[in-house]
Amino acid sequence: MTVNSGSAGWYLRRLSRMGPREVGGRVGDAVRRRRWRSARPVAPSVTGARFTAVLPAGAVAAVPPDAAKRLVAEADRLMAGRAEFFGVLRDDLADPDWWHDPKTGRRAPEGYAFDVPYRDEDVTGDIKQIWEPSRHQYLTVLAAAYAVTGDERYAERVAGHLRSWWASNPPLRGVHWVSGIELGIRLLSWVWVRRLLDGWPGAAALFEDNPVALKQIWHHQRWLAAFPSRGSSANNHVVAETAGQFAAACAFGWFPSSARWRDDALRSLERQLRANTFLSGLNRELATEYHGLVLELGLAAVAEADAAGVAVPPTVRLVLLRMTDALAAVVDDRLRPPRQGDADDGHGLVVDGAGTDRWASLLATGDAVFGSLPWWPAVTGTDVRTPLLAALIRPYAKEGTGQAVSRPASRPAHFSDAGLTVLRGPAGIWCRCDGGPHGFLSIAAHAHADALSVEVRHDGVDVLADPGTFCYHGQPAWRRYFRSTLGHNTLELDGADQSVSGGPFLWTRHARSRVLSVDVSDEGVSRWCAEHDGYGPSVHRRRVELTAASREVRVVDEVRGPRRAVRLSYHLGPAVAADLVDDRAVLTWTRDGEERSAVLDLPGELSWRAHRGETNPPLGWYSPGFGRKEPATTLVGTGFTDGAREFTTVLGFRGR
């Protein structure tokens, strides 16, 4: 089914969320695209290029043996042509067709890049399936395997695939020249491929002595300089664009425009990192996986700056420091962060094998670069990326930065600017409460209609779960469900979302939330209260209380206003079974071979029903990663409210 994001109505809604400056910039982009169709930019000739941004001696030797073992195992799977992208298993990566979508069987049309209807799955296929291999992050894995083992088979496979991609995707032809985030991440991958292949005799012939490679690198950077993400679209995409542009201009600084591209990209990167990040350190998109993506991109950019001896504004490191401290603050006992907002499994730099914990890796890098704080959670896992980045990035020191750096003396529980609060109890009880903004910028592209939602875990297991994202393009019914109010642990009125959607990445009206009170000073009882105006003239207010002694989470929903139909949803994690009788559900699951249980006492004023794996319409699903979903139990209570009414839910954990 086609995503209807090219209709006249969608364009009008999208235009309504833009300011005059953004409209003017997009008009200029359209003129430039038309001009490039008939008079495409010509890359300058380059001679005498040399690659000097190499890893310091001893960096590869510092990779822990178990991390190296996982890396090599992953590289061997790739050598056999096997990989998985967004739930689709592939066995064709030994000789890939760069324009083929194995999910739908379609092949993207050829032609001038800006004519390709990449959002139309009926024509192009699933664009994420086509784009992902061409980020070339699987090639950075193969290149890292060469660096660790010295086995030239990995280097030769990388070279073959790069030459194939460059031949199949000349500048401005086809879907791989449409989206700036793809070009930015691809450039970053090429920088690391060249760095990791530095000991291979064919590295220079593949890159700096190869006219085709030089032409590709130049055109990627010229494209990014011409078509930056603008205004209401300046979210994580623009960070990826500027990070990739900056990395390439530092490491591949072989062109007449390289110094200008580098300086412009660094200015933009500094500005966009600040714009995309709250002062508390949380990402303004309020989508946790994009917090990880932006942090990875920022760290990779700083690594290039330090490798090239380019001075970075102190605010860049300060933002990354705050992001790292914020991540350390919000993860649960198993180092899992909140499942909030959109998530598409996007990474900035991949050099690790399967089974490597992304969040532990980021915290390990943060420890190496910034130094951990006493309250940080312990990180026991290992990875390849941390010693490589740490070898390039100079250790952070606030002295001489001109910045007043004040890091949290204890673990923060409430992030007032982001409206995110984490209540913690004994035995790994973790409860996230959402009272923050609907999303970032006027379109809030990656937001969900989840105001006042709660997420509860026990020892890292999702008990009351955020269902996730599942898809972006091509399946509008599923896209609507996974970002709907019904699809979150909150309350819905009259069958409508709290915020109004204008398309798969567009919200035309945003519910406004405000946190009324937070009290985490008492070790025995933690409290949170917030409300939102998404259902005007009615107001939804929610209070959450976590009591340590009874190991109990109490949720009280108050609705003030005229008579409205109510649906209150609680989504259970996929590991949790539920036995629902009337308004009580007994929950059971297994953790580390041990049976666990809890009792969920639901509001008796509502009529309760369990849903699981329903498709018409979707209800009762959990998405563990982009492109993947599995049935999970959702408990939905229905009824009415009139005047001022309260609905009380109590989740009590048993045993350990």
Side-chain angles (χ1 to χ4, degrees):
M1 189 177 232
T2 301
V3 175
N4 190 23
S5 58
S7 67
W10 179 85
Y11 280 112
L12 288 173
R13 292 190 296 272
R14 185 67 182 84
L15 185 64
S16 72
R17 308 306 292 175
M18 300 181 194
R21 184 174 181 180
E22 180 179 357
V23 172
R26 289 178 182 270
V27 169
D29 290 346
V31 171
R32 191 174 297 108
R33 290 186 184 110
R34 179 172 295 182
R35 186 171 68 245
W36 281 17
R37 178 196 298 273
S38 56
R40 302 184 185 182
V42 178
S45 60
V46 174
T47 58
R50 291 294 177 264
F51 183 81
T52 59
V54 298
L55 285 168
V60 173
V63 173
D66 57 335
K69 182 178 180 180
R70 290 194 304 272
L71 166 65
V72 172
E74 182 71 14
D76 288 343
R77 282 191 289 271
L78 292 169
M79 290 293 290
R82 297 192 299 271
E84 178 181 343
F85 297 110
F86 309 134
V88 176
L89 297 174
R90 299 184 60 163
D91 59 5
D92 62 340
L93 278 197
D95 183 20
D97 178 344
W98 302 107
W99 293 18
H100 178 253
D101 166 29
K103 179 180 170 183
T104 64
R106 297 186 179 95
R107 194 171 189 272
E110 301 186 20
Y112 185 54
F114 299 116
D115 290 341
V116 177
Y118 69 94
R119 294 187 180 95
D120 191 337
E121 189 171 291
D122 291 339
V123 175
T124 303
D126 185 334
I127 194 61
K128 293 280 287 180
Q129 289 289 340
I130 298 172
W131 276 345
E132 191 67 17
S134 288
R135 289 187 171 187
H136 290 168
Q137 292 176 326
Y138 80 94
L139 295 183
T140 56
V141 170
L142 289 171
Y146 165 76
V148 167
T149 65
D151 189 334
E152 294 192 358
R153 293 182 306 119
Y154 301 124
E156 290 163 357
R157 176 62 58 84
V158 171
H161 279 204
L162 282 178
R163 294 182 190 278
S164 167
W165 194 93
W166 291 332
S168 300
N169 295 277
L172 298 178
R173 178 172 171 264
V175 292
H176 297 303
W177 291 89
V178 174
S179 173
I181 188 174
E182 304 305 316
L183 276 75
I185 290 177
R186 191 155 53 238
L187 277 177
L188 183 60
S189 295
W190 292 352
V191 168
W192 274 89
V193 165
R194 176 61 184 88
R195 173 175 290 128
L196 292 164
L197 294 186
D198 191 60
W200 180 53
L206 179 62
F207 279 94
E208 56 264 34
D209 295 337
N210 181 0
V212 175
L214 293 171
K215 180 180 178 181
Q216 284 277 349
I217 293 167
W218 185 88
H219 274 282
H220 272 66
Q221 293 186 83
R222 182 70 183 88
W223 193 109
L224 290 171
F227 301 112
S229 292
R230 301 179 184 277
S232 56
S233 295
N235 53 12
N236 65 86
H237 282 233
V238 75
V239 176
E241 293 161 12
T242 55
Q245 177 81 300
F246 178 71
C250 287
F252 302 146
W254 306 322
F255 308 102
S257 297
S258 291
R260 175 170 56 83
W261 287 337
R262 182 196 66 210
D263 294 344
D264 289 349
L266 181 56
R267 280 192 296 270
S268 178
L269 180 66
E270 189 271 341
R271 184 172 64 252
Q272 298 302 337
L273 281 174
R274 285 190 290 107
N276 276 260
T277 310
F278 288 112
L279 287 177
S280 66
L282 290 178
N283 183 265
R284 285 185 183 271
E285 293 199 74
L286 297 171
T288 310
E289 284 218 1
Y290 289 114
H291 182 108
L293 173 63
V294 169
L295 181 53
E296 288 172 356
L297 291 166
L299 290 167
V302 170
E304 297 307 326
D306 288 354
V310 175
V312 172
T315 50
V316 170
R317 296 181 199 269
L318 181 58
V319 169
L320 299 176
L321 167 63
R322 287 174 173 160
M323 292 184 73
T324 307
D325 279 342
L327 176 62
V330 300
V331 295
D332 64 22
D333 287 4
R334 301 283 179 134
L335 302 185
R336 294 181 61 220
R339 283 168 55 90
Q340 183 179 19
D342 271 348
D344 72 345
D345 298 353
H347 291 257
L349 173 64
V350 181
V351 289
D352 276 283
T356 302
D357 188 318
R358 174 187 197 173
W359 308 104
S361 170
L362 276 170
L363 291 176
T365 304
D367 185 16
V369 173
F370 303 117
S372 62
L373 295 172
W375 54 263
W376 273 33
V379 176
T380 56
T382 63
D383 68 313
V384 174
R385 188 176 59 190
T386 289
L388 301 185
L389 284 175
L392 294 173
I393 301 175
R394 62 176 175 81
Y396 180 80
K398 65 181 180 180
E399 293 79 7
T401 65
Q403 300 290 319
V405 179
S406 178
R407 299 178 69 182
S410 59
R411 190 174 204 168
H414 176 57
F415 296 80
S416 58
D417 48 10
L420 185 148
T421 305
V422 177
L423 309 180
R424 298 177 187 270
I429 299 174
W430 176 98
C431 175
R432 173 182 65 88
C433 304
D434 179 6
H438 174 62
F440 183 46
L441 301 173
S442 61
I443 64 172
H446 291 298
H448 290 187
D450 58 356
L452 309 194
S453 181
V454 296
E455 187 182 1
V456 180
R457 299 178 191 156
H458 183 272
D459 198 17
V461 173
D462 291 311
V463 179
L464 301 184
D466 183 301
T469 299
F470 177 54
C471 66
Y472 281 170
H473 304 281
Q475 301 177 77
W478 290 101
R479 176 64 171 153
R480 285 193 297 270
Y481 169 68
F482 274 98
R483 66 180 196 148
S484 69
T485 298
L486 179 64
H488 294 84
N489 298 319
T490 189
L491 183 144
E492 176 203 78
L493 294 182
D494 290 344
D497 287 337
Q498 308 150 336
S499 296
V500 177
S501 173
F505 298 99
L506 171 63
W507 296 92
T508 56
R509 184 176 62 77
H510 303 179
R512 294 176 299 177
S513 302
R514 61 175 184 146
V515 176
L516 302 175
S517 63
V518 175
D519 185 359
V520 293
S521 60
D522 186 341
E523 294 185 1
V525 182
S526 301
R527 297 180 177 88
W528 170 90
C529 180
E531 66 182 20
H532 76 83
D533 67 355
Y535 291 123
S538 297
V539 173
H540 175 206
R541 177 176 292 182
R542 170 169 275 187
R543 303 191 303 273
V544 177
E545 183 176 282
L546 194 162
T547 304
S550 57
R551 296 163 37 132
E552 181 178 280
V553 178
R554 179 180 296 266
V555 180
V556 179
D557 289 294
E558 178 186 355
V559 181
R560 302 192 309 275
R563 180 177 174 83
R564 311 284 289 269
V566 173
R567 284 200 292 186
L568 179 59
S569 304
Y570 288 111
H571 300 262
L572 308 183
V576 178
D579 182 10
L580 175 66
V581 178
D582 298 327
D583 56 2
R584 168 171 280 204
V586 177
L587 314 181
T588 55
W589 66 95
T590 302
R591 180 54 148 168
D592 298 332
E594 181 180 339
E595 295 294 325
R596 310 285 178 88
S597 66
V599 173
L600 187 62
D601 285 315
L602 301 158
E605 300 89 343
L606 302 176
S607 176
W608 289 90
R609 183 181 169 191
H611 303 263
R612 185 176 180 87
E614 298 172 10
T615 58
N616 190 23
L619 186 59
W621 295 90
Y622 178 95
S623 175
F626 195 83
R628 295 176 287 146
K629 67 181 187 300
E630 58 186 282
T633 300
T634 297
L635 305 176
V636 179
T638 57
F640 293 90
T641 182
D642 195 356
R645 192 153 187 194
E646 290 189 349
F647 305 96
T648 300
T649 304
V650 180
L651 173 63
F653 292 94
R654 296 171 167 177
R656 180 177 177 274

